[in-house]
Amino acid sequence: MRVVDHPSFKNFGLDETLQALKDAPIGEAIFRPSSKGLDFLTLSYKGLPDLIVHVAILEKDKPHAAALGRRLE
């Protein structure tokens, strides 16, 4: 579980994310913890009616392990 104060961030796994975006409008996005580790987030968004895209985002300049990085790449 990550503590991120942002309305688009959810502590969801892949299955929960797919379910949440299934009936969402195109362009809807969820930021969530990444399975790559604590230095990553995943952006999942609905690109087309049957396409959900997942993008790994590297967090840099983290003040501590549980914090959100100051730079996202």
Side-chain angles (χ1 to χ4, degrees):
M1 295 267 309
R2 297 282 305 269
V3 179
V4 176
D5 185 25
H6 190 279
S8 294
F9 183 84
K10 307 290 183 204
N11 275 302
F12 284 177
L14 179 60
D15 291 340
E16 294 167 301
T17 301
L18 295 175
Q19 187 63 34
L21 293 175
K22 178 181 170 185
D23 296 322
I26 292 173
E28 186 73 23
I30 294 174
F31 289 91
R32 60 189 181 90
S34 174
S35 61
K36 291 182 177 234
L38 292 177
D39 289 335
F40 288 87
L41 294 173
T42 297
L43 166 63
S44 298
Y45 68 93
K46 189 167 188 173
L48 294 171
D50 295 329
L51 175 68
I52 296 176
V53 179
H54 307 281
V55 179
I57 300 170
L58 176 62
E59 299 178 73
K60 292 193 172 185
D61 298 334
K62 293 177 74 152
H64 54 84
L68 184 63
R70 293 185 179 125
R71 286 186 14 219
L72 305 175
E73 297 181 359

